[in-house]
Amino acid sequence: MDGARAWLGEIDPRIWQAVIAGLFLAMGWIVNGWQNRRAAARAKAERLRDLHRAIFAEIETNLANLWDVDALNAYGAEMRARMEADETFVPFIPRERHDRLFDTIVADLSVLPRVTIDPIVKYYAQVGSIAAIAEDMRGEGFRALPQARRIPMYEDYIQMKVQALEYGRVANHLIRVFAADGKAAAEAEATRLSSPSAGRSVP
């Protein structure tokens, strides 16, 4: 033991200074790395919240325009009756574009958790399909079809809107649960909703 103390005492003080400086430098790297990781995690969480808020708002606006399932089906039935009563009647089909915000943030979707990104993408894919069929139905080709072919196309169009309404409700419901109770709660709710017995249980 005394020999070890003697050996340590013989070490050049400059070496001790270098060792101590190295330890402080290493500690600085560790602390700095920890702080950087915390800052990155905080920035990612803030970006996630911002994306969720923006997507929620865009979906919610479209859901309001879609009314509800019963209203959509009632409107579809009314249009079908008019088309059956008048062979020349062609219902007005507005241009459908309800994904302008989504198009601008596609590159950032990897920030979102799987539990919300799946229903969000599912909803917007349906919105894109509606926009495509609406564009077809606005053309002269649709007007030139016999009413017997226009009617089922229009009914498909209405049912696609019904499906978009359901998808949008699920997406926004899971965003809401994630924001209020966290990822685990949202995953549990997604599992519940995917159960065949869940039915239309989205608030």
Side-chain angles (χ1 to χ4, degrees):
M1 190 70 174
D2 291 339
R5 288 198 188 97
W7 179 79
L8 290 172
E10 293 174 359
I11 296 177
D12 191 320
R14 288 173 297 181
I15 295 177
W16 280 117
Q17 291 172 359
V19 169
I20 293 170
L23 288 173
F24 274 108
L25 183 60
M27 287 296 295
W29 286 339
I30 293 171
V31 171
N32 189 54
W34 175 73
Q35 290 176 334
N36 287 341
R37 286 192 295 273
R38 282 194 65 188
R42 190 162 51 246
K44 182 178 180 180
E46 289 174 358
R47 181 58 177 155
L48 188 155
R49 283 193 295 271
D50 289 344
L51 288 175
H52 269 169
R53 288 193 192 103
I55 291 169
F56 184 96
E58 182 169 71
I59 293 177
E60 197 70 11
T61 298
N62 191 30
L63 295 185
N65 292 333
L66 288 172
W67 307 323
D68 58 50
V69 173
D70 291 338
L72 277 170
N73 284 329
Y75 183 76
E78 178 187 340
M79 289 298 103
R80 179 190 174 98
R82 290 185 64 181
M83 293 172 81
E84 288 176 336
D86 182 356
E87 287 288 324
T88 65
F89 174 70
V90 179
F92 172 72
I93 308 295
R95 273 203 166 84
E96 300 275 353
R97 189 66 197 274
H98 304 291
D99 57 358
R100 295 185 186 279
L101 169 72
F102 182 76
D103 285 350
T104 67
I105 61 174
V106 166
D108 293 328
L109 287 184
S110 60
V111 174
L112 300 180
R114 179 70 179 271
V115 69
T116 58
I117 195 172
D118 286 354
I120 287 170
V121 170
K122 193 174 184 179
Y123 164 77
Y124 278 106
Q126 185 73 1
V127 166
S129 297
I130 292 171
I133 192 174
E135 200 60 34
D136 288 343
M137 293 170 69
R138 287 172 57 84
E140 290 301 320
F142 180 71
R143 289 180 172 275
L145 292 174
Q147 198 73 301
R149 291 186 60 189
R150 285 199 297 254
I151 289 173
M153 285 185 67
Y154 188 80
E155 289 181 322
D156 286 346
Y157 168 70
I158 292 295
Q159 289 310 305
M160 288 171 73
K161 283 177 169 284
V162 169
Q163 195 63 66
L165 181 62
E166 292 298 313
Y167 289 164
R169 283 177 172 171
V170 169
N172 270 8
H173 176 61
L174 291 177
I175 290 173
R176 192 182 293 113
V177 173
F178 187 97
D181 302 314
K183 181 180 177 182
E187 288 174 343
E189 182 65 358
T191 299
R192 184 187 72 80
L193 291 174
S194 66
S195 170
S197 61
R200 289 180 183 170
S201 53
V202 176

